[in-house]
Amino acid sequence: MGAVPPPDGSGSDPPWPATTGGVGAPVRGVRRVRSTADEATGCDVKIRDITSPRLRHSVAEAGSGAPLLLLHGFTGAKEDFVDFLDGFADRGWHVVAPDHRGHGASDAPAEEAAYSLDTMATDAFALADELGWHRFDLLGHSMGGMVAQVMALQAPERVGSLVLMDTSHGTVQGIDPELAALAVDVVRGEGVERLMVLSAELDTRKPSPADARVRAERPGYVEFGERKMRACSPAMYAAMVTEMLGVHDRLDALRGLDRRTLVVVGEQDEAFVGPSGRLAEAIPGATLEVVGDAGHSPQFENPDRWWKVVRRFLEHGRSDVDHTDQRVDA
């Protein structure tokens, strides 16, 4: 992780232009999971707004089966998972990936006080309520994994299988506090665009070898990451950097979590390999999967292995659960 908090992931292959609610144009030369599915079922990803009493959520959605919610990371977007939505739908999930508040095309309150892990967890539950989901499988990446932990601790009865991906149980390590404070000051005073320019000038980004490889090899990957960053609210950026550098440690609370859990992390993700191991040790019965040749975003850097690991875990959990009680009348 760089000295200034970096984006969680840099590219994807969305089938829509930015003007329809996404933040990136298609990335050329990338196969989506559905192209390698056993049998295509005609599932298609759609973008729509879902308004809860709390927020207008912009979501990417596919399928009509067992509920599955995917939460992206800090300065990410719903498109971080879009390569895999048809694949999940083909295998029997109703999969939804929202933009968090202050990200992408979802509502972005102007006040920093409107942003926190707890607030985003409550947003996600409100979204699930609007979808008519009582219980659902849950995957969270990086900051989204922190939100997922809060959700599982607050209402474990609503979470089926839990996937924590390249995330931490407490304060994010590997970030220079002085540079992070500078980033917050810049965003507050001059906006996200100025921060991007300053970060480029200071060359604060320290990509993993896997990230550097994908940035070099995937046309459009770098530009997609930049568009995601530009779509972020300055208030969100300032508030969440501040919280993630001083967040209460959840590890002791997670020792009592009784949820089927997979912790997955890229082997090159230096800031999160240690926390991922501690999460897997703390959560009873949790499984740790270290993805080779991957850094902070293994769904981009080693997509075949990431897909196999996550799909297999979620499918095994679904086979053990009666999902007839997972939907409620909307």
Side-chain angles (χ1 to χ4, degrees):
M1 177 169 286
V4 174
D8 284 341
S10 300
S12 77
D13 187 22
W16 54 83
T19 54
T20 63
V23 295
V27 179
R28 299 184 300 279
V30 180
R31 294 191 307 170
R32 294 172 63 195
V33 163
R34 184 178 159 193
S35 68
T36 60
D38 295 335
E39 181 179 357
T41 60
C43 299
D44 291 307
V45 175
K46 62 181 179 181
I47 299 298
R48 65 174 174 132
D49 287 346
I50 300 176
T51 301
S52 76
R54 297 178 55 83
L55 194 74
R56 180 186 56 80
H57 311 255
S58 179
V59 309
E61 180 179 27
S64 59
L68 172 61
L69 187 64
L70 308 179
L71 302 180
H72 67 76
F74 178 64
T75 72
K78 58 186 178 292
E79 288 85 357
D80 288 345
F81 297 110
V82 76
D83 288 349
F84 303 92
L85 297 189
D86 274 339
F88 281 123
D90 285 342
R91 289 161 174 81
W93 274 282
H94 177 195
V95 57
V96 174
D99 287 332
H100 291 296
R101 63 171 57 207
H103 293 77
S106 287
D107 281 347
E111 304 81 14
E112 290 183 28
Y115 298 93
S116 69
L117 297 176
D118 283 347
T119 297
M120 291 181 179
T122 304
D123 288 344
F125 280 130
L127 173 61
D129 291 342
E130 292 299 320
L131 290 163
W133 295 357
H134 172 67
R135 191 165 181 257
F136 47 91
D137 293 336
L138 177 63
L139 180 151
H141 176 211
S142 196
M143 183 193 76
M146 301 174 195
V147 174
Q149 292 167 53
V150 172
M151 295 174 69
L153 289 170
Q154 287 182 350
E157 72 280 0
R158 298 200 64 178
V159 177
S161 293
L162 176 64
V163 180
L164 302 176
M165 172 182 163
D166 292 81
T167 191
S168 178
H169 48 82
T171 300
V172 177
Q173 304 298 313
I175 297 176
D176 184 321
E178 293 185 359
L179 280 179
L182 173 61
V184 169
D185 287 344
V186 170
V187 163
R188 285 172 174 162
E190 303 179 66
V192 169
E193 188 72 34
R194 175 57 183 159
L195 176 63
M196 295 175 67
V197 171
L198 181 61
S199 295
E201 291 174 352
L202 295 176
D203 194 22
T204 61
R205 185 180 178 90
K206 298 178 181 178
S208 67
D211 180 49
R213 169 178 51 79
V214 178
R215 289 166 66 84
E217 293 178 355
R218 286 186 65 164
Y221 188 81
V222 173
E223 292 79 5
F224 179 66
E226 292 172 348
R227 285 191 291 273
K228 287 191 296 183
M229 184 70 175
R230 290 190 179 97
C232 287
S233 155
M236 180 284 300
Y237 188 99
M240 296 313 297
V241 167
T242 301
E243 176 165 1
M244 288 188 291
L245 290 180
V247 69
H248 172 71
D249 197 305
R250 295 172 295 275
L251 199 60
D252 284 344
L254 290 165
R255 298 185 195 279
L257 181 64
D258 183 20
R259 294 293 88 185
R260 184 174 178 275
T261 302
L262 170 68
V263 181
V264 58
V265 64
E267 67 173 350
Q268 299 172 13
D269 194 0
E270 295 180 358
F272 292 95
V273 169
S276 294
R278 292 190 289 274
L279 281 167
E281 290 176 1
I283 299 172
T287 300
L288 175 65
E289 184 72 37
V290 180
V291 178
D293 196 22
H296 192 57
S297 297
Q299 81 273 33
F300 296 134
E301 297 151 350
N302 193 343
D304 290 343
R305 180 60 183 168
W306 178 87
W307 169 245
K308 180 177 180 180
V309 166
V310 171
R311 174 185 56 80
R312 181 175 58 194
F313 173 79
L314 290 173
E315 286 183 338
H316 287 176
R318 190 176 60 186
S319 68
D320 296 334
V321 175
D322 178 2
H323 284 260
T324 58
D325 67 343
Q326 293 201 357
R327 295 189 62 86
V328 296
D329 292 337

